[in-house]
Structure formats: C-alpha cells, structure tokens
Amino acid sequence: MRLDSYFYPMQVEIISIGDELLIGQTINTNASWLGSELSLGGVSVRKCTVIADVKDHITAAIDSAMKSFPLVIMTGGLGPTKDDITKDVLCSYFDTELVENEQVLERIKDYFEKRGRPMLESNNLQASLPEKCTVLFNNYGTASGMWFEKNGSILVSLPGVPYEMKGIFLEEVFPRLKERFSLNGIYHITVMTQGIGESFLAEKIGAWEDKIRAEGFGLAYLPSPGSVRLRLSSDQGERNKDKIQAYMEELVALIPSYAYSIGEVSLSEVVGGLLRKQKLTVGTVESCTGGKLSGEIISVPGSSDYFLGGLVTYSNDMKSSLVDVPVEILNEQGAVSKEVVKLMAENGRSKLNTDICISVSGISGPEGGSDDKPVGTVWIGISTSEVCDAYHFTFGGNRERNIQISVLTALNLLRCKLLGVEIENK
Ligand code: ATP
Ligand code: MG
C-alpha cells in the first residue's frame, strides 16, 4: 500500500490505554476513528501505541510521544473506576496536582439529576482535574477531557467510551487544532475498482499517476479482497475539487472495465442503479457462492425493483433438477465448466423469467481442486436476451476470499455487460 502521508506538516501519535484492548476484548475503534478524522483534517498520524493501565507504561509512552511529536492524543483510563489511573500519571508528568473544578462538578451533578440517578463518591472525584490543564467539557458523560502543553508539544487526554471521545474531539479538540495550526484539511476522492490487482493497476495507470503526482496530488492504493480503492488527495482542502474530479474521470476512462465508481459506493449499488435505469430484471443461479451473490444484490434498499430471485444449485442433482443441466454434461465437463455455467445462466433466465441471469460455479476450497482445476477456479456465466457468455477465473487458495471475490467479480461482469464495456478477461 502506498501512503500519501508526506503531505501533512502536522504529526500526531495516538496512545490508546486499556487492558481490554490488549487482550482482544475490545477492538481499538477509537484509534481508527481518530486516524480517519485526523488525517482528513490535515494531521498526519505517524504512530499508534496501545498500552496497559499500568503507571510506568503510561508514563513511558507519554514521555516518548511528547519528545517525538508536536501532538499526542490519548484515549481511555479516565473513568471513575480504580483501574483508571491516567489522571494521576498526568499530574506527575506535568508536575501539577488535582483540584476540584467547580464547573465540572456542577455539570456532573446536573448529569445525574437529569437521569434521576444517585451520584457516587467516585463521580465526585471526576470533578478533580489537574490544575495545569485546559479542561475539555464532556457533554456526553462524566469524564472530562484534558489539554496539556509542555516543551512545545500538546497532549490531549480523552475518555475511552467511544461516543464521549468522539463528542469531545469534535467539539473541543479539533476546532482548537484547526485554529492553532491553520489546518487546510485534506480533500479526498476515491475511485473504486474491481478485478485488477494493485501492481497491474499501477502499471496501467502509471502515466496518469506520474502526471497527478507532478501536480502535487497524492495517490493511495487501498486494497481489500477483490477490489482496490484509489484515493487521490489534495492538501489544499476543497480548493482543487473540480480539478480532482476531472482527473478522476480521466482515470475511469483509462480502466473502464475495472473502475466502477467515483466515490465510495458498493458494486451492488452501482449495478442496481444501472438495472433500474435500463428497466431490466436480474436473477441468479449460484453454486460456489451459495446465495451470497443474491445476498449482495439485495443488500441495496429497493432492490426488489430489479431482482426477482435466485436459485442455489449447490449439488449436481440440483443443477439438473432445477436448471436442467444434463447429467452427461455434468459428468463430461464437470460442474465447474464453461458449458455448465452457460446452461445455468441460460436456463435460469427462463425459469426465473428475468431479462438477465448470472450463474457462478467454482471450487472454493480447501478441498476439491485438481491439476486441471485448482482451488480458486471459478466460471461465471451471464445470459441476456442477446447473448450467453462465460468467463473463467483463477482466484486463490482461501475459501472465504474465493467466495467474496466471486461475488464481486460477477457483479462487475454484469456492470460491464450493462454498460457495453469490453471485458478484459485475462
Ligand atoms: P469510563 O468513564 O467508562 O471508565 P474511561 O476513560 O475510563 O471511561 P475506559 O475505562 O478505558 O475509558 O473504557 C471505557 C469503555 O470504552 C469500555 O467499554 C472500553 O471497552 C471502551 N473503550 C476504551 N478504549 C477504547 C478504544 N480505544 N476503542 C474502542 N473502545 C474503547
Ligand atoms: Mg474506565
């Protein structure tokens, strides 16, 4: 993956505190959310650290981060429970002590009154905050955020509860950062692609990429199974919006069989939009994807406008009895073959009474591969009123990925068919 992090002048380390993060009980969504917000806002996240609720570790992590970065954002360990020791550690590090903050105490009292709940002594303690910090009010809970400065670096400490952390960050932290560092914000546009790997893609769009980089834009390749997102960014906020849009249109025109949208849209939404516009209906006959293709199509609200139904013909018997694939053909060619997917699509189209039918048959693995047809071999058929075509793919060795990639590939083939885009089938 290529990152366009060279853009950002302002750098930050995120420190996540909590034993539950280390033992895998809680996923560190705070770090990923902050990572996304900060980088969109024009701050480069250079390091994420996860540490236990242990005094020495917290002190060491703070010290190292404050010496390396102008900004450190910490989450967790601020609650009323005994294991939350962050505040004491912060007091020692910043050489200050806890003092009761009247305003915060009032807010906490109010918080409990409004909810009709009694206030505990431990909640009282949450109004005790380090004297040397700027208090960041929490409109969503009782643990305040804190902003410290030392030797030219800033440290912000936020509660661990995700919605409290988000609230304080958006209301109290980011506006301060924006003003203090005149952040422009990063403007991104993403082009979604399917059916081509990162390196092939880089080769195909090399000249275009050189051109946009020379203009000072950044490009990131963000791969996931079966697709790659291309994210173009500018550190000039929205100033270059029109130019970026035009570059993205150029990119899509370079790779029409792979690029399926400008903006983060799913393939099933794109395909759904095309079917609706062209007033066409679709059905599926699935073997190796076991219904997941239908599942993906109907994940889009309103898909009943164009999706009529699907058949899951997992066994050979079902392929014969439900979509009339002759037993002889199954025996001669095998269930994973051009002839079989074409019959599945063609006969499925008439059984389901749709304008288009897509069929999928493949060897997902881990068992069932042979020299001729290794695990990952997939055939996809598409039948329309005019043609019935079949496409052959060899994906990989992982069952789950093969299924997922088969679904995306089938949808992309359908998209190309609907747009009359020539399919590059390697
Ligand atoms: P509280 O007032 O609830 O004690 P806190 O600041 O002490 O807040 P923690 O005790 O660390 O925060 O965590 C509180 C809750 O937030 C827990 O349910 C925890 O799993 C969740 N949480 C903490 N850190 C993270 C994180 N990095 N990502 C996602 N969830 C988190
Ligand atoms: Mg806690």
Side-chain angles (χ1 to χ4, degrees):
M1 184 165 70
R2 299 179 193 188
L3 285 175
D4 42 5
S5 53
Y6 61 87
F7 259 164
Y8 311 71
M10 179 68 186
Q11 302 187 342
V12 60
E13 174 172 344
I14 297 171
I15 302 177
S16 312
I17 302 175
D19 295 342
E20 72 274 28
L21 301 167
L22 290 163
I23 60 170
Q25 195 181 48
T26 301
I27 295 176
N28 194 353
T29 55
N30 283 353
S32 68
W33 185 87
L34 281 170
S36 152
E37 287 296 311
L38 287 161
S39 45
L40 282 172
V43 180
S44 170
V45 181
R46 301 320 291 261
K47 193 171 172 187
C48 286
T49 307
V50 184
I51 45 170
D53 281 286
V54 174
K55 184 172 188 275
D56 291 349
H57 293 337
I58 301 176
T59 309
I62 292 176
D63 192 46
S64 148
M66 288 290 279
K67 285 178 177 148
S68 315
F69 299 99
L71 176 62
V72 180
I73 298 185
M74 255 167 50
T75 67
L78 296 184
T81 53
K82 286 222 170 58
D83 60 345
D84 294 320
I85 55 172
T86 310
K87 246 173 10 182
D88 294 332
V89 175
L90 288 169
C91 278
S92 314
Y93 187 79
F94 290 100
D95 195 18
T96 183
E97 49 195 50
L98 296 176
V99 288
E100 190 169 88
N101 184 306
E102 293 272 327
Q103 245 179 312
V104 173
L105 186 62
E106 281 313 306
R107 292 174 73 102
I108 295 176
K109 279 186 185 154
D110 193 49
Y111 180 92
F112 283 96
E113 245 165 53
K114 277 198 183 126
R115 285 164 180 76
R117 288 190 351 226
M119 202 171 133
L120 305 170
E121 174 54 25
S122 55
N123 297 120
N124 259 320
L125 289 178
Q126 290 194 292
S128 287
L129 292 157
E131 197 174 7
K132 272 191 199 161
C133 77
T134 304
V135 174
L136 308 170
F137 292 123
N138 182 349
N139 290 318
Y140 308 89
T142 52
S144 307
M146 289 161 280
W147 173 297
F148 297 90
E149 302 199 17
K150 186 175 174 174
N151 300 333
S153 286
I154 296 167
L155 182 137
V156 176
S157 170
L158 300 173
V161 184
Y163 72 91
E164 296 183 27
M165 181 280 294
K166 291 179 191 175
I168 304 177
F169 179 83
L170 293 173
E171 290 163 17
E172 299 283 337
V173 181
F174 192 65
R176 283 182 167 82
L177 293 175
K178 206 170 165 182
E179 195 182 304
R180 178 91 163 252
F181 300 103
S182 319
L183 300 173
N184 268 328
I186 302 294
Y187 181 71
H188 294 305
I189 288 199
T190 305
V191 161
M192 314 289 288
T193 72
Q194 198 287 321
I196 184 165
E198 224 181 320
S199 36
F200 287 103
L201 191 54
E203 221 167 82
K204 268 197 178 296
I205 64 171
W208 175 88
E209 184 173 342
D210 290 345
K211 183 174 76 177
I212 60 135
R213 284 193 189 279
E215 289 229 13
F217 295 111
L219 187 72
Y221 290 70
L222 309 168
S224 57
S227 55
V228 177
R229 287 182 299 147
L230 285 171
R231 196 184 62 192
L232 193 150
S233 13
S234 156
D235 62 351
Q236 299 296 309
E238 297 218 347
R239 220 169 296 156
N240 285 312
K241 201 172 163 183
D242 292 345
K243 203 170 192 184
I244 293 183
Q245 180 70 26
Y247 278 146
M248 286 318 216
E249 281 164 20
E250 254 180 48
L251 172 65
V252 170
L254 279 178
I255 44 168
S257 66
Y258 304 117
Y260 64 84
S261 85
I262 297 180
E264 306 235 359
V265 183
S266 72
L267 246 177
S268 42
E269 282 172 88
V270 172
V271 166
L274 291 170
L275 288 165
R276 185 178 286 116
K277 203 164 156 199
Q278 298 182 18
K279 296 194 168 54
L280 293 172
T281 57
V282 70
T284 58
V285 179
E286 297 180 66
S287 185
C288 66
T289 46
K292 290 214 157 143
L293 176 56
S294 307
E296 188 57 35
I297 296 173
I298 63 96
S299 68
V300 179
S303 49
S304 58
D305 288 354
Y306 47 81
F307 180 71
L308 302 193
L311 299 168
V312 178
T313 60
Y314 209 55
S315 68
N316 280 1
D317 281 354
M318 287 294 161
K319 290 179 183 74
S320 297
S321 61
L322 291 181
V323 281
D324 304 337
V325 180
V327 176
E328 309 78 66
I329 294 190
L330 282 164
N331 289 339
E332 277 162 29
Q333 309 293 331
V336 180
S337 62
K338 181 178 190 168
E339 291 73 12
V340 170
V341 286
K342 281 179 94 165
L343 284 164
M344 284 163 73
E346 189 66 17
N347 298 345
R349 196 166 66 85
S350 60
K351 299 264 178 195
L352 296 164
N353 199 20
T354 53
D355 297 313
I356 302 170
C357 182
I358 326 174
S359 62
V360 194
S361 182
I363 304 158
S364 302
E367 307 296 327
S370 65
D371 286 348
D372 264 11
K373 295 177 184 175
V375 167
T377 302
V378 176
W379 277 93
I380 297 175
I382 299 190
S383 165
T384 68
S385 58
E386 280 143 34
V387 284
C388 182
D389 289 325
Y391 303 88
H392 172 249
F393 301 89
T394 315
F395 297 132
N398 179 288
R399 181 178 179 83
E400 215 174 298
R401 277 176 172 238
N402 285 333
I403 296 170
Q404 196 182 348
I405 297 173
S406 299
V407 167
L408 293 177
T409 305
L411 287 170
N412 195 33
L413 290 175
L414 175 56
R415 181 189 70 87
C416 291
K417 269 269 175 304
L418 290 168
L419 289 171
V421 169
E422 199 183 322
I423 293 162
E424 285 184 40
N425 186 24
K426 300 171 296 294

